[in-house]
Amino acid sequence: MAAVHPGQVQKYAVNCSWFQETFGECPEDADDDTVRRYVRAYIMMLLGTQLFADKSGNRIHIRWLPYVARLEELGTYSWGSAALAWLYRCMCRVANRHVVKLAGPLQLLQSWIFWQFPQFRPAGYETFSWPLASRWAGYNPSGSEKGPRVRTWRLRIDRLQSREFIWMPYSSPDVLQVLHPEVLEPRHMAVWRSVTALIYFAVIEWHQIDRVLPQFGGGTGPSASRLEHRLSDVQGRERRRSMVPLFHAEVACILGRSSGQCIEVRRCCRPWTVSSVPSVVESAVEAYTS
């Protein structure tokens, strides 16, 4: 990053054009160290422009440097939950009438829509493989005017029937044949079926699958726990205290009564890790649920 021209840096973010010009193609005779540098650059572009993109779409934040510096540890982070937390926050922001653009992993959101709502799918995309989102890789929306297109989609959404939504599109035999085998392992299923906090730096959102149990083969579940409401209340109070930010203590320990684990969230200049701190978790849970 030391070779980046100052004109390519804006508010702790580097223009994508610099990454593309510098790391556009790895030399065929590159040694291992050079390959690792290109891999780091590619991962930063993937994180900054796809999974955690902002509305500019052309800048990559330097917050990812501590992560790509330790390639062997990248697989220990829950990237899916962080991306989902960022998407939830972006969708909340765009609900404000003064916000006109939506950020976040929009390709994954579009893929989810096409899988869950068959009547919204574009025609001619029946073949798929892993990853499932690649099914729509060649999709290019029509160039019709924005006004008529928005009104048409709003009308189609208003007319939706419950039978037109597929709760479990990934459970069909043809989909199971192409899924990565690790996806269905119990250790992974326990994660994406858990009711827990999703954390992406200062963003904390609730993974509330108890409200959509039909997606996991169940019925309607109970309402959200008291912990969720206390968490939202704490966040709201702390956001209103401009001099006492939510992460003033640098650590937010959320959940883990049964597993004895806590997610340690540090300031964005340092990565968050998962550590086993049972006593701290118990104290945090008692504080939120009392």
Side-chain angles (χ1 to χ4, degrees), residues 78-107:
S78 181
W79 296 104
S81 62
L84 191 57
W86 177 234
L87 176 61
Y88 285 168
R89 181 58 54 88
C90 291
M91 294 178 70
C92 288
R93 290 175 178 173
V94 80
N96 189 316
R97 64 189 181 92
H98 300 294
V99 178
V100 296
K101 290 184 178 180
L102 175 62
L106 301 184
Q107 292 178 334

Side-chain angles (χ1 to χ4, degrees), residues 41-263:
Y42 174 80
I43 294 175
M44 286 192 67
M45 288 190 286
L46 177 64
L47 296 174
T49 64
Q50 300 297 322
L51 296 180
F52 306 100
D54 58 16
K55 290 190 291 186
S56 71
N58 59 5
R59 293 195 299 268
I60 301 173
H61 203 282
I62 63 174
R63 64 163 61 98
W64 303 118
L65 285 175
Y67 297 91
V68 298
R70 299 184 294 273
L71 292 177
E72 64 281 356
E73 297 181 9
L74 282 176
T76 64
Y77 299 105
S78 181
W79 296 104
S81 62
L84 191 57
W86 177 234
L87 176 61
Y88 285 168
R89 181 58 54 88
C90 291
M91 294 178 70
C92 288
R93 290 175 178 173
V94 80
N96 189 316
R97 64 189 181 92
H98 300 294
V99 178
V100 296
K101 290 184 178 180
L102 175 62
L106 301 184
Q107 292 178 334
L108 297 181
L109 175 61
Q110 178 179 262
S111 176
W112 181 87
I113 293 173
F114 289 163
W115 278 99
Q116 309 283 145
F117 298 89
Q119 68 275 28
F120 293 167
R121 296 176 185 173
Y125 293 89
E126 304 304 324
T127 304
F128 52 86
S129 60
W130 180 261
L132 297 179
S134 63
R135 176 178 181 177
W136 326 104
Y139 174 61
N140 186 20
S142 62
S144 59
E145 295 183 5
K146 178 179 179 180
R149 187 170 70 246
V150 171
R151 287 193 294 270
T152 299
W153 279 102
R154 284 177 177 172
L155 180 60
R156 295 182 65 179
I157 293 174
D158 289 341
R159 292 179 174 177
L160 274 176
Q161 303 293 321
S162 59
R163 64 178 181 276
E164 296 175 328
F165 181 83
I166 300 180
W167 283 104
M168 302 178 65
Y170 313 125
S171 62
S172 61
D174 53 343
V175 175
L176 293 176
Q177 290 180 359
V178 301
L179 285 180
H180 195 287
E182 288 190 4
V183 173
L184 300 179
E185 290 184 1
R187 61 190 180 97
H188 291 300
M189 295 176 66
V191 173
W192 47 262
R193 289 186 176 186
S194 62
V195 180
T196 184
L198 304 174
I199 301 178
Y200 168 63
F201 294 103
V203 174
I204 302 179
E205 298 289 345
W206 202 250
H207 189 230
Q208 210 161 339
I209 68 105
D210 52 342
R211 291 186 176 180
V212 288
L213 289 180
Q215 291 195 52
F216 305 95
T220 56
S223 59
S225 64
R226 293 175 57 199
L227 177 59
E228 173 207 357
H229 299 295
R230 295 301 299 272
L231 174 62
S232 299
D233 184 55
V234 169
Q235 282 188 282
R237 291 200 307 268
E238 295 298 333
R239 286 169 182 165
R240 290 191 292 270
R241 299 175 187 174
S242 58
M243 299 185 65
V244 188
L246 180 62
F247 290 89
H248 177 72
E250 289 198 329
V251 177
C253 294
I254 314 294
L255 302 179
R257 180 181 293 274
S258 60
S259 63
Q261 288 188 329
C262 115
I263 299 179

